[in-house]
Amino acid sequence: MGSPGFATIDFETTGLFPGKHDRAIEVAVVHSDPDGTITGRWDTLLNPGRDLGRQDIHRISAAEILRAPTFSDIAPELIELLDGRVLVAHNASFDTRFLLAELARADIWTSQDLVTLCTMQLARVYLPGSGRALVDCCAAFDIQLEGAHRASVDAGATAQLLASYIAHSEDRSGWTDHLDRAAAYSYGRVPSRGVAWYPREDALSGNDHHFLERITDNLPEFSGPDAHNDYLALLDRALLDRVLSLHEAEGLVKLAESLGISRPACEKLNLEYFWMLGAAAWSDGILTDAETGDLVAVATLLRIPPTQIDKVLTPPDVAPASPKQPGASLGGFALNPGDLVTLTGEMSLPRERWYDILVANDLVPKDAVTKKVKLVAAADPDSISGKAKKARDYGIPVVSEQGLANLLGI
């Protein structure tokens, strides 16, 4: 019958259990001819609508997936890439379970009887005595695997591994049998949503623009002191953890546009905020290494000119002046005994350990986000978990794990 060949697939996921709550966050597909020659590559990040799980493994940040399509958005193009081809993966059981679970969530029916090949299982035949991990199998054939746990990298390496297996086969009948059965299998057709795929490279380049560049440059200036104070207050809250998340940056842009604050005015306010921080740091007449590092970190986030940084770091000739804006909030946020704090995402410290730390600081861990919660700490400050989303709706600050530690002085 003949077949167009193989489709090697790899998913990066939030965890190991698609039947529960874990989701796919990246998928890559590599096409190969029946002889193993690679003929095409595709990959995209996926927005799962929840926190990203073990980010230390897949190294995908929440900021990168905010503009990514959902699985349902790209499912029509994905199944078209798989249709009529042998589905190949390293540990195919894992990837096919996620594929079927995501298709089911997208209300796309497909038979469970997929035509698959597992390069991990085939290692028993072609690499007896070798390790089963992808890195071990690739090393046996001198296949480069740099940047593992990235879907495009793992799928590409697996496709090369498949080609090596095929090249070392004396009898091709087994491969032909799979190709023939795959040619008779169809995932069906689903109308395209016209949503473009979103590779990691696009996400990385798309997040390069500083928030000031997104504020209108020539906006007619009609804002006054009250609007400026609102901007400074939001800026202060956004910089609680010295991380300017994409959500916080977008919030500053929207506020500036709604209040009629132009980009030049925002630059002046950012500089004023930086000088206020400097004045507070110098208030005791000493600038410690920690305070210097903090000022430099803020200056980097706000793109403060080097000449201004040098001026703030230079000991003042007179006592620092108080902030010019009487209503500006500078370091006004503090956690007080009895405040409710919610955690979200898989942090570096176990959740139970963080609960103990919060209780030891007279704070109350709260599993759910209500309007009474004072702060939400997230493994990733751009988290799109349900808790983080609700916190932003309520105007509750969302800070990083390190930001929480800094607020507690630990």
Side-chain angles (χ1 to χ4, degrees), residues 3-265:
S3 167
F6 304 93
T8 300
I9 193 170
D10 185 81
F11 282 108
E12 294 301 319
T13 65
T14 62
L16 304 175
F17 306 106
K20 294 183 179 180
H21 63 280
D22 285 320
R23 301 295 306 274
I25 53 176
E26 187 177 31
V27 63
V29 178
V30 177
H31 277 182
S32 304
D33 281 344
D35 65 357
T37 302
I38 293 176
T39 59
R41 301 171 186 260
W42 301 263
D43 66 282
T44 184
L45 292 168
L46 300 168
N47 189 327
R50 53 148 290 177
D51 72 272
L52 300 180
R54 290 286 304 277
Q55 290 174 262
D56 59 312
I57 294 177
H58 51 66
R59 301 183 303 280
I60 298 172
S61 70
E64 290 176 295
I65 58 90
L66 288 179
R67 297 185 178 91
T70 65
F71 183 89
S72 296
D73 288 334
I74 59 92
E77 287 73 25
L78 177 62
I79 61 176
E80 185 175 349
L81 290 173
L82 303 181
D83 207 49
R85 291 177 175 267
V86 180
L87 186 67
V88 181
H90 199 80
N91 190 3
S93 173
F94 176 85
D95 290 284
T96 53
R97 281 188 289 114
F98 266 93
L99 173 64
L100 292 171
E102 290 289 357
L103 287 173
R105 287 191 185 95
D107 292 326
I108 299 174
W109 181 90
T110 188
S111 167
Q112 301 283 323
D113 191 24
L114 304 177
V115 183
T116 64
L117 281 171
C118 178
T119 54
M120 183 178 73
Q121 298 297 337
L122 288 172
R124 297 176 180 177
V125 177
Y126 295 97
L127 295 170
S130 174
R132 298 290 182 261
L134 181 59
V135 63
D136 295 324
C137 294
C138 287
F141 287 108
D142 290 327
I143 297 170
Q144 294 295 314
L145 184 60
E146 296 181 2
H149 294 296
R150 180 170 178 168
S152 59
V153 172
D154 289 355
T158 301
Q160 293 179 65
L161 184 60
L162 172 70
S164 297
Y165 288 168
I166 294 173
H168 286 78
S169 300
E170 295 182 0
D171 182 3
R172 300 287 182 93
S173 60
W175 305 107
T176 302
D177 177 63
H178 277 79
L179 291 165
D180 287 344
R181 288 192 294 116
Y185 182 89
S186 176
Y187 290 80
R189 288 289 182 269
V190 178
S192 172
R193 295 188 177 188
V195 178
W197 285 36
Y198 192 67
R200 278 202 211 192
E201 291 79 7
D202 290 356
L204 291 171
S205 62
N207 291 330
D208 285 344
H209 300 296
H210 193 267
F211 78 95
L212 285 173
E213 297 173 7
R214 301 200 297 275
I215 296 175
T216 304
D217 191 14
N218 57 353
L219 189 71
E221 195 64 61
F222 61 84
S223 60
D226 289 342
H228 292 176
N229 283 337
D230 288 344
Y231 177 87
L232 288 169
L234 182 59
L235 182 65
D236 188 51
R237 196 178 76 179
L239 294 176
L240 273 177
D241 55 357
R242 299 309 187 239
V243 174
L244 191 59
S245 72
L246 189 58
H247 280 105
E248 290 164 342
E250 292 291 347
L252 287 167
V253 172
K254 290 179 180 178
L255 181 65
E257 297 281 351
S258 66
L259 295 177
I261 306 176
S262 66
R263 187 188 307 172

